[in-house]
């Protein structure tokens, strides 16, 4: 997407998550995008050694906050087809639930550790 305008709604892949946001400005090879909703929660664990728990640092990754700004490379930005973004808190809750369901399909030490991270994140996000 090489022609997004300021104020336009987009879906942007950033690190290991996907967000719905508003383009703030064009920065050459990137867009500055303001987060409005979470489409896919970031993955947990070591992304360079995904699926492993031994001898790796198992990261807990939070979703970006509401209205947090991110610099996203243009190829990772796509038009968002809806007229408005979903509610941030509800989208965050749904993205976590989707990630949990994916992790529950298979028993592994990685999935157990990731589910624990998600449980901790839910407490941080929603109290």
């Amino acid at each position: 997407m090489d022609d997004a305008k300021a104020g336009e709604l987009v879906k942007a892949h950033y690190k290991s998550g996907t967000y719905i946001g508003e383009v703030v400005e064009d920065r050459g090879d990137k867009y500055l995008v303001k987060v409005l909703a979470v489409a896919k929660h970031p993955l947990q664990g070591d992304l360079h050694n995904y699926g492993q728990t031994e001898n790796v640092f198992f990261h807990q990754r939070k979703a970006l906050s509401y209205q947090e700004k991110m610099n996203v490379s243009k190829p990772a930005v796509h038009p968002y087809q809806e007229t408005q973004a979903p509610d941030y808190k509800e989208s965050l809750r749904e993205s976590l639930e989707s990630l949990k369901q994916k992790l529950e399909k298979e028993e592994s030490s990685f999935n157990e550790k990731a589910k624990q991270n998600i449980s901790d994140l839910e407490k941080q996000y929603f109290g």
Side-chain angles (χ1 to χ4, degrees):
M1 178 170 193
D2 289 327
D3 58 348
K5 307 284 184 256
E8 199 171 322
L9 287 182
V10 294
K11 185 179 265 193
H13 305 288
Y14 184 74
K15 300 199 176 179
S16 67
T18 305
Y19 301 90
I20 297 162
E22 179 183 316
V23 173
V24 176
E25 69 180 50
D26 187 327
R27 293 189 165 176
D29 63 338
K30 298 183 182 205
Y31 289 116
L32 181 64
V33 178
K34 178 172 61 174
V35 173
L36 299 176
V38 181
K40 178 180 169 267
H41 195 278
L43 299 172
Q44 302 301 299
D46 184 338
L47 298 181
H48 300 289
N49 298 288
Y50 192 75
Q52 296 180 23
T53 57
E54 298 296 317
N55 302 317
V56 298
F57 182 69
F58 201 91
H59 298 271
Q60 180 186 71
R61 289 188 169 75
K62 290 184 174 185
L64 295 178
S65 302
Y66 180 66
Q67 295 194 343
E68 186 170 347
K69 293 175 181 72
M70 56 187 170
N71 279 305
V72 187
S73 65
K74 287 186 175 180
V77 176
H78 307 283
Y80 183 65
Q81 303 303 326
E82 305 298 320
T83 56
Q84 71 181 56
D87 175 73
Y88 177 83
K89 281 273 195 201
E90 188 57 35
S91 71
L92 179 59
R93 195 178 307 277
E94 288 174 8
S95 69
L96 279 171
E97 189 58 39
S98 176
L99 183 54
K100 276 197 297 193
Q101 288 176 5
K102 180 181 172 189
L103 293 169
E104 288 172 357
K105 289 181 180 174
E106 181 183 326
E107 280 190 36
S108 70
S109 61
F110 176 86
N111 286 0
E112 288 306 312
K113 209 163 183 177
K115 286 191 287 188
Q116 181 58 52
N117 275 7
I118 291 168
S119 178
D120 293 345
L121 285 170
E122 286 177 319
K123 291 172 189 159
Q124 290 176 43
Y125 292 148
F126 307 113

